[in-house]
Amino acid sequence: MSRQAEPLFWIEDLSKTYDMGEISVRALHDVNLQIHQGELIVMLGPSGSGKSTLLNILGGLDTPTGGSIRYQDHNLTEATEKELTEYRRQHVGFVFQFYNLIPSLTAKENVEIVTEIARDPISAQEALKLVGLGDRANHFPSQLSGGEQQRVAIARAIAKRPDVLFCDEPTGALDSKTGIVVLEALSKVNQELGTTTILITHNVVIGQMAGRVVYLHDGTISEIQENATRIPPSEMSW
Amino acid sequence: MVKQPLHDSPTRSRFQIPALFKKAFRDILEQLSMVVVISMMIMVGAGLFTTMISTLDSLKTTQEAYYREYDFAHLFASLKQAPVSVLQDVVEIPGVRQAQSRIVMGGNVELDSYEGAIRGLVISIPDGGQPALNKLYIRDGQLPQEGSTHEWVISDAFAEAHTLEPGDSMSAILNGRKQTMIVSGIGLSPEYIYQGNPGTIVPEFERFGIFWMNQSAMEGIFQMKGAFNQLTARLTRQADEPQILRQIDAILEPYGGLGVQPRERQASHFFITEEMRQLERMSSIIPVVFLGVASFLLSIVLNRLIRTQRGQIAILKAFGYSDREIGLHFVIMVMVILLLGLGGGILFGVWLGLELSELYAEYYRFPFLHYRLDPSIFLITALVSAIAAFAGVLRAVYNVVSLTPAEAMRPESPVLYRRSLIERMGLQKWLDQPMRMVVRQVSRHRFKSTMSVFGVGFAIALVMVGRMSEDALDLALDQDFRKSQPFDLSIQFERAVSPSAEYELARIPGVQKTEAFRTVAVRFSHGHRDRLSSIQIFPSKHSLQPILDVTGKKVELPIDGLLLTESLGEALRLHPGDSVWVELLESGQEPVLMRVDGFMNRFFGSSGYATFESLKYLIPNGTALSGVVMEVRDGEEASVERVLKKWPLVAGITSTRGIIDLFYELTAQTWLITAFFVSLFAGGAAFSVVYNNARISLSERSRELASLRILGLTRGEVARVLIGEMWVVILLAIPIGILLGWGLTWLIIESLQTEMYRIPMNISSETIARATVTILLTAMISGVIIRRRIHKLNLIEVLKTRES
Ligand SMILES: Nc1ncnc2c1ncn2[C@@H]1O[C@H](COP(=O)(O)OP(=O)(O)OP(=O)(O)O)[C@@H](O)[C@H]1O
Ligand SMILES: [Mg+2]
């Protein structure tokens, strides 16, 4: 991967303040970061340090209150809701801590809800196969375990071949064994499809699978650690 | 690095139902009970709308065609007697296109197969041909032969009531002489589409018939050679009607003219016009009530659905679905409900429209029925229903659109619970823990609770509206008949007779008490308004014909003044104490000014009331009687009636009880069916509000409730939290619903008032009881179902996942 190339994300002096009448919460301030094509970044930090806020802004779910953020030639700082929707639709995939599947749709249909609006998707069936759930396509979320649901969520996120994949504590609700299966799936997608992946976790061990680990503290980046070698999830344990 | 396509892209050409649609349909199935109820409401609303509009259309078209093809007259004049030559004077008035003179007389008819008294209205037609105006539609048989004196055409309703056919014979007492008449044909006339027997409120087809016979025959029987006593006329399009009316009045004045009635005041036409006007007004209110409730329920459902699906909506947004796409998928849900309701509604409406039109054709005597179903009705129905449906969901869909994706990602932030008002008042020591949760829940979700309360309230109101006409008629019949006409029989004479007739009638065995009355035709005028009407004249001491004021209290007739029914007073813009010009039409005298002492209450009909004393010298034969009312010993009514039938001068006998019975007989079934359906719909609406409330609470709060179970509360105690919430809603909804019902009833009744009859605003305690019981029963059923669901609550499953 070429570090010299133009970064995918360019973040400068980013800040986010939540205004709630009398009090305002400074969720992010002075955040500077560049993310390159194909990277796998893990974000670590104590609860309330601003990880989710940063991820949401990167993913176009939220807008910053200060600074600037650019994705390729899109300026996300000043994007309208319509442009953000288009950005999410074309470039971004999400995986959340609580799988957030649509309960009234089967696993396959949950994936199709994304492939149907994507430009160049892989088929829902293929996506499910990629996360090892090819045979559970017609099951409803309530018929799947937590880990399986999370893998459906990953299949859903990657099926449209997103350029960037955002995962907010994807293993937070899973035991370590299931968590590793899920991380394997993410790692596979990152390596085989080259999908830039940003992953939030509370688990320091998971940082070992990343190329870079970004530490957040009190709403700002306190440290960026580069890993010389990336350890595959199957070799991790916690 | 270049993206390598790892797998083949799916072929997208094959048609597939988008997953978002599938979600919408499954969400609908999930809400089935509510969806069914809302669809039904739309169905009823749209159906009634279609029904009313198509019935109205059909009636109008039929009436117009009938009038046109059978030359219905524009003017109707009655007089004592005039030579036929006078007709020429009328025809010569500019603007009069055609005029027809005729003899119209009363008569009595006897049938071997029928006990009761039959009153006939005998009308002359030119020998061997159709009259120029008000032509007859001969359904069966033919017109009387030229020169025949013993043949007549009988009205079809009368023929139907007694299954008479051409060739059948009957006895008729005409001008005091009995003769046998043969039915030459069965006919209908545009003049008698509505055939009210004078003095009654429902057509009594068995006891009243119209008979058309040759002019020459009638001239002979009634000794009116070359004379006539009624005149009808048709005007040209540009005619100045009021001017012509005055001119004809002047021409007929010397011949005992009783006033010219324009078509607008002709009984049959007036009645049908009023009926259509009511139908028209009703078509703009009743369906709106149902559609309004549907709209309201729809907004409840959708708002909640969206609230519980915040997470799902956020996901869709996060994956790049636009507001429009997400909004659209909720709109699809509404469309499905709307289309279900509309489809059913239009079918139901067409069916009911046909049925209703036929019912009208039966009640009103039309020779044919042009059932009209303008396709634009469907369009309007669809439009109106769609507006109602989407008005209800606009806010909900707006909520979706305004949800920012990141905000939606978080579960609804924990709501700020406060100690409720009850607790702040220090009443909490009376509440146990589950009850405290109930109170906080209800007062916390104020919008939601208010919506639910109103939802159930509307259901209560619906039951009340469903019983509106029954209550109103109960009161009207009670006031106008039971209270104002406490006599058993009323006898009307052929013409005013000497007061001694009363004493003779009083001697009939079984008669306990008699009281005389007189009716005189008058024209009231005040300012530029005037009305042809009548004055009912009673003895100054009258107990069988009491007079009730507008509040229902008995009042005395003023000795030298006049009381008017409230409707007449309003039509003439009179106030108590004002003076009104009274023209006694029979006397041909100049109008006199009389003081209006006050108004009295009559729901059916309008006229003035006075004593014999006050009018003795103003009217011809001041003490003569038009009829006598009598109290008859129990069980002897029939025998008294038999004797009366033989009296030469008796023109009609009406029984108060008979009228009331007939009325209830005619309406009872309709009411029963209405009540059944309305209760069903109202119950359904209440159930879906109440039950869905609990169901959604259950899913929204399953974690909380499961936690309570884990903490050691019993199922019963947990159920109380939800069911208690339901009961709070129900108990709040009852008074609010009753108020809503009162308001809706008032609104509908106000819009239905006519000059011919007024509809009282009456909500009986039975109605309130029924509405309340319907809702309580619904609540109990919902309670049982909720309890069963709580019993099935799987603790582990609930806690395993986050509710989404
Ligand atoms: N909608 C909001 N309104 C007000 N404050 C908010 C909002 N969302 C987040 N915050 C605040 O912003 C700060 C950062 O929140 P954020 O969710 O980014 O933390 P986090 O690092 O993801 O924490 P965790 O690990 O617990 O998920 C916190 O102090 C939080 O209270
Ligand atoms: Mg977070």
Side-chain angles (χ1 to χ4, degrees):
Chain A
M1 253 163 275
S2 156
R3 280 289 153 82
Q4 279 71 39
E6 183 77 351
L8 205 57
F9 285 98
W10 195 304
I11 302 164
E12 265 177 12
D13 299 329
L14 193 77
S15 65
K16 173 78 182 179
T17 308
Y18 288 106
D19 235 330
M20 296 180 300
E22 293 154 37
I23 42 166
S24 59
V25 177
R26 210 164 62 145
L28 289 176
H29 62 96
D30 303 312
V31 173
N32 291 285
L33 183 67
Q34 286 144 38
I35 299 169
H36 294 269
Q37 168 77 52
E39 268 198 286
L40 196 157
I41 290 180
V42 164
M43 273 199 237
L44 276 166
S47 183
S49 57
K51 304 182 293 294
S52 297
T53 306
L54 180 56
L55 195 83
N56 287 345
I57 293 173
L58 280 165
L61 291 177
D62 212 345
T63 44
T65 45
S68 75
I69 173 165
R70 238 184 49 217
Y71 169 79
Q72 286 180 334
D73 50 355
H74 303 269
N75 182 352
L76 298 183
T77 327
E78 276 146 25
T80 62
E81 181 48 44
K82 195 157 169 264
E83 286 161 346
L84 284 180
T85 299
E86 197 53 30
Y87 162 65
R88 294 197 300 265
R89 193 171 181 135
Q90 298 308 336
H91 305 285
V92 179
F94 287 100
V95 178
F96 303 96
Q97 176 177 2
F98 303 104
Y99 338 120
N100 277 321
L101 298 180
I102 291 171
S104 56
L105 297 178
T106 62
K108 183 153 167 265
E109 289 162 354
N110 259 289
V111 179
E112 279 168 351
I113 207 140
V114 170
T115 57
E116 276 164 8
I117 58 167
R119 249 187 221 148
D120 177 30
I122 54 175
S123 79
Q125 193 60 47
E126 292 294 338
L128 285 171
K129 227 184 259 167
L130 208 62
V131 295
L133 284 176
D135 51 344
R136 306 296 295 274
N138 292 322
H139 288 204
F140 281 94
S142 59
Q143 296 165 319
L144 300 170
S145 77
E148 286 160 351
Q149 288 184 51
Q150 189 60 303
R151 279 186 282 157
V152 173
I154 292 172
R156 179 175 65 180
I158 59 163
K160 69 163 153 191
R161 292 190 229 242
D163 299 313
V164 205
L165 190 58
F166 296 103
C167 313
D168 196 342
E169 301 187 45
T171 59
L174 303 174
D175 63 45
S176 69
K177 196 161 150 272
T178 320
I180 285 166
V181 175
V182 166
L183 292 175
E184 287 265 296
L186 286 173
S187 169
K188 190 171 160 196
V189 168
N190 173 248
Q191 305 205 329
E192 291 184 9
L193 298 178
T195 312
T196 311
T197 305
I198 296 143
L199 193 153
I200 291 179
T201 177
H202 276 121
N203 190 339
V204 188
V205 179
I206 294 174
Q208 296 172 331
M209 72 183 279
R212 286 196 293 166
V213 182
V214 175
Y215 290 92
L216 268 94
H217 201 85
D218 275 344
T220 195
I221 295 172
S222 58
E223 191 195 339
I224 298 178
Q225 173 200 318
E226 301 224 8
N227 288 336
T229 51
R230 289 171 57 174
I231 298 173
S234 53
E235 289 167 28
M236 299 189 301
S237 70
W238 62 86
Chain B
M1 134 178 185
V2 183
K3 270 211 248 173
Q4 295 286 323
L6 268 186
H7 309 276
D8 288 337
S9 294
T11 47
R12 312 193 95 224
S13 55
R14 196 157 49 92
F15 175 76
Q16 263 204 331
I17 301 169
L20 206 56
F21 281 30
K22 288 186 193 161
K23 170 184 174 300
F25 289 124
R26 290 193 191 136
D27 285 341
I28 288 175
L29 287 181
E30 181 70 11
Q31 308 265 333
L32 201 58
S33 69
M34 199 73 168
V35 166
V36 167
V37 167
I38 297 171
S39 296
M40 291 285 266
M41 288 281 163
I42 294 178
M43 188 183 114
V44 175
L48 288 179
F49 192 73
T50 314
T51 302
M52 288 173 174
I53 301 286
S54 67
T55 306
L56 194 64
D57 246 20
S58 305
L59 274 180
K60 266 197 183 132
T61 333
T62 306
Q63 185 202 33
E64 270 163 27
Y66 194 17
Y67 282 4
R68 198 177 48 246
E69 289 165 33
Y70 290 83
D71 295 308
F72 184 48
H74 289 121
L75 300 178
F76 301 81
S78 295
L79 53 144
K80 271 248 158 59
Q81 182 166 345
V84 177
S85 60
V86 173
L87 189 66
Q88 197 49 41
D89 300 344
V90 174
V91 175
E92 275 164 13
I93 300 173
V96 173
R97 188 158 61 183
Q98 257 174 322
Q100 171 81 54
S101 64
R102 62 187 188 182
I103 301 170
V104 178
M105 287 290 177
N108 286 335
V109 170
E110 286 174 4
L111 284 173
D112 294 340
S113 55
Y114 185 70
E115 275 274 289
I118 299 167
R119 180 69 185 150
L121 189 68
V122 190
I123 301 174
S124 74
I125 49 174
D127 274 44
Q130 286 275 7
L133 299 175
N134 308 312
K135 293 199 169 74
L136 297 182
Y137 170 88
I138 301 297
R139 165 157 290 165
D140 202 1
Q142 58 196 36
L143 292 171
Q145 293 294 319
E146 194 171 349
S148 158
T149 54
H150 288 79
E151 273 184 306
W152 62 14
V153 171
I154 65 174
S155 52
D156 81 320
F158 178 72
E160 230 166 66
H162 295 288
T163 53
L164 293 170
E165 283 169 22
D168 287 348
S169 64
M170 63 192 80
S171 310
I173 299 145
L174 303 173
N175 202 15
R177 273 184 317 183
K178 192 162 177 168
Q179 69 179 84
T180 301
M181 295 298 298
I182 312 279
V183 177
S184 74
I186 291 164
L188 294 87
S189 155
E191 226 184 322
Y192 295 100
I193 297 173
Y194 170 78
Q195 307 181 351
N197 184 355
T200 64
I201 43 169
V202 278
E204 291 181 288
F205 296 138
E206 277 193 336
R207 286 170 160 266
F208 178 69
I210 300 153
F211 304 87
W212 290 271
M213 66 193 288
N214 279 336
Q215 173 88 20
S216 63
M218 280 189 82
E219 285 181 2
I221 293 167
F222 293 95
Q223 281 131 36
M224 287 183 70
K225 195 106 206 92
F228 69 95
N229 70 354
Q230 245 194 31
L231 183 146
T232 61
R234 236 152 88 86
L235 308 182
T236 59
R237 217 174 276 282
Q238 303 81 16
D240 175 7
E241 197 183 271
Q243 173 63 24
I244 294 170
L245 244 91
R246 274 193 294 277
Q247 282 174 280
I248 296 178
D249 254 340
I251 293 172
L252 298 180
E253 170 92 70
Y255 305 101
L258 292 172
V260 189
Q261 295 266 30
R263 187 190 269 189
E264 287 67 50
R265 306 238 138 240
Q266 196 263 344
S268 162
H269 177 84
F270 185 56
F271 210 93
I272 298 167
T273 312
E274 282 291 322
E275 183 83 25
M276 291 197 287
R277 215 152 55 95
Q278 275 204 350
L279 201 59
E280 199 167 352
R281 286 167 177 179
M282 240 157 22
S283 71
S284 60
I285 294 182
I286 310 272
V288 169
V289 170
F290 279 94
L291 290 177
V293 174
S295 163
F296 186 78
L297 293 180
L298 205 51
S299 84
I300 294 183
V301 173
L302 216 66
N303 271 307
R304 301 196 130 191
L305 194 66
I306 287 168
R307 222 156 40 79
T308 53
Q309 293 194 349
R310 283 171 64 89
Q312 297 183 33
I313 295 165
I315 284 289
L316 293 174
K317 286 197 176 186
F319 283 117
Y321 275 92
S322 65
D323 289 344
R324 206 167 46 89
E325 287 164 312
I326 297 169
L328 194 70
H329 116 280
F330 285 108
V331 167
I332 283 171
M333 297 173 63
V334 178
M335 288 295 281
V336 169
I337 295 174
L338 180 67
L339 288 179
L340 279 177
L342 258 180
I346 284 175
L347 286 181
F348 166 70
V350 169
W351 171 78
L352 196 67
L354 271 165
E355 291 284 309
L356 199 65
S357 299
E358 257 164 44
L359 202 75
Y360 271 118
E362 169 102 358
Y363 188 77
Y364 298 119
R365 310 309 294 199
F366 286 110
F368 46 77
L369 180 72
H370 290 314
Y371 182 71
R372 243 175 80 87
L373 193 65
D374 197 319
S376 70
I377 293 174
F378 297 136
L379 221 75
I380 296 170
T381 309
L383 204 70
V384 170
S385 312
I387 289 172
F390 285 104
V393 303
L394 230 57
R395 199 185 104 104
V397 174
Y398 172 76
N399 281 349
V400 176
V401 172
S402 57
L403 208 66
T404 75
E407 196 184 316
M409 264 346 286
R410 284 181 284 275
E412 217 173 346
S413 46
V415 290
L416 181 65
Y417 278 88
R418 288 195 311 171
R419 279 153 34 96
S420 62
L421 181 66
I422 293 181
E423 292 172 278
R424 273 176 277 147
M425 290 189 317
L427 298 174
Q428 77 273 24
K429 57 173 174 286
W430 305 106
L431 302 172
D432 61 5
Q433 201 55 51
M435 268 325 278
R436 252 177 260 180
M437 288 180 67
V438 167
V439 168
R440 282 184 206 160
Q441 179 75 12
V442 171
S443 55
R444 165 59 221 150
H445 294 283
R446 243 176 249 142
F447 179 72
K448 186 182 106 182
S449 304
T450 311
M451 292 288 273
S452 307
V453 165
F454 274 87
V456 177
F458 269 121
I460 295 173
L462 223 54
V463 179
M464 290 173 64
V465 167
R467 275 187 44 94
M468 169 188 76
S469 49
E470 210 172 334
D471 277 351
L473 280 161
D474 272 344
L475 183 80
L477 289 178
D478 189 57
Q479 291 254 334
D480 274 18
F481 290 89
R482 287 199 197 91
K483 290 222 176 78
S484 304
Q485 304 183 29
F487 50 80
D488 296 308
L489 291 178
S490 166
I491 291 92
Q492 298 98 44
F493 298 125
E494 194 73 60
R495 54 172 186 271
V497 300
S498 119
S500 62
E502 187 184 348
Y503 307 119
E504 284 173 54
L505 288 178
R507 282 207 295 272
I508 297 174
V511 174
Q512 283 182 311
K513 193 172 177 186
T514 59
E515 205 170 281
F517 68 89
R518 172 84 184 263
T519 307
V520 289
V522 297
R523 187 202 307 273
F524 290 111
S525 31
H526 179 242
H528 63 280
R529 295 168 206 280
D530 65 292
R531 286 288 183 278
L532 280 179
S533 179
S534 64
I535 299 181
Q536 309 294 324
I537 306 168
F538 298 157
S540 53
K541 283 207 176 8
H542 56 106
S543 60
L544 289 181
Q545 306 171 91
I547 294 203
L548 309 177
D549 70 5
V550 282
T551 63
K553 244 188 18 247
K554 244 185 220 176
V555 288
E556 287 297 311
L557 267 181
I559 292 298
D560 58 348
L562 195 61
L563 290 183
L564 298 183
T565 54
E566 205 184 11
S567 51
L568 187 58
E570 272 168 18
L572 292 167
R573 301 283 190 282
L574 283 164
H575 300 281
D578 287 353
S579 293
V580 63
W581 287 102
V582 180
E583 185 186 351
L584 294 154
L585 296 170
E586 289 163 55
S587 69
Q589 292 162 6
E590 285 300 299
V592 292
L593 207 52
M594 286 186 78
R595 194 185 65 246
V596 177
D597 283 87
F599 294 142
M600 45 168 298
N601 195 34
R602 271 299 166 104
F603 295 109
F604 299 102
S606 63
S607 58
Y609 289 77
T611 60
F612 277 103
E613 275 67 34
S614 59
L615 286 173
K616 201 155 43 186
Y617 305 110
L618 285 176
I619 55 179
N621 308 323
T623 56
L625 315 179
S626 301
V628 169
V629 298
M630 53 176 60
E631 213 174 75
V632 176
R633 235 192 318 274
D634 281 350
E636 297 190 38
E637 231 176 77
S639 69
V640 171
E641 212 175 313
R642 261 198 302 279
V643 177
L644 285 169
K645 252 172 74 179
K646 303 277 182 265
W647 273 53
L649 280 174
V650 170
I653 305 169
T654 43
S655 143
T656 307
R657 188 145 1 97
I659 292 173
I660 296 175
D661 288 349
L662 185 68
F663 203 85
Y664 278 112
E665 202 179 295
L666 277 177
T667 47
Q669 210 188 347
T670 327
W671 283 347
L672 211 68
I673 295 169
T674 317
F676 173 76
F677 277 108
V678 165
S679 301
L680 199 71
F681 284 125
F687 175 78
S688 52
V689 172
V690 164
Y691 172 68
N692 273 278
N693 229 345
R695 202 178 59 83
I696 292 169
S697 282
L698 188 61
S699 74
E700 280 172 359
R701 298 166 65 199
S702 51
R703 273 170 94 72
E704 182 189 338
L705 297 173
S707 313
L708 288 177
R709 290 274 290 114
I710 288 162
L711 291 177
L713 268 76
T714 66
R715 283 173 175 165
E717 283 165 326
V718 171
R720 271 183 60 203
V721 175
L722 276 187
I723 292 174
E725 207 180 306
M726 175 189 89
W727 280 109
V728 171
V729 167
I730 294 281
L731 293 180
L732 286 174
I734 288 173
I736 286 174
I738 290 172
L739 276 178
L740 279 174
W742 187 91
L744 267 181
T745 306
W746 182 84
L747 208 73
I748 294 172
I749 283 185
E750 271 312 295
S751 74
L752 295 184
Q753 298 299 1
T754 75
E755 202 183 314
M756 194 167 50
Y757 52 83
R758 341 198 73 219
I759 304 170
M761 169 85 188
N762 181 32
I763 292 175
S764 67
S765 41
E766 193 196 335
T767 294
I768 292 178
R770 274 206 208 181
T772 312
V773 167
T774 305
I775 295 312
L776 291 181
L777 274 177
T778 308
M780 262 142 54
I781 295 169
S782 317
V784 169
I785 298 175
I786 295 163
R787 214 177 287 271
R788 285 213 353 235
R789 283 188 74 128
I790 288 176
H791 277 225
K792 284 196 287 192
L793 197 67
N794 183 330
L795 301 183
I796 297 139
E797 200 154 279
V798 168
L799 294 181
K800 194 172 77 181
T801 56
R802 188 184 94 138
E803 68 255 59
S804 54

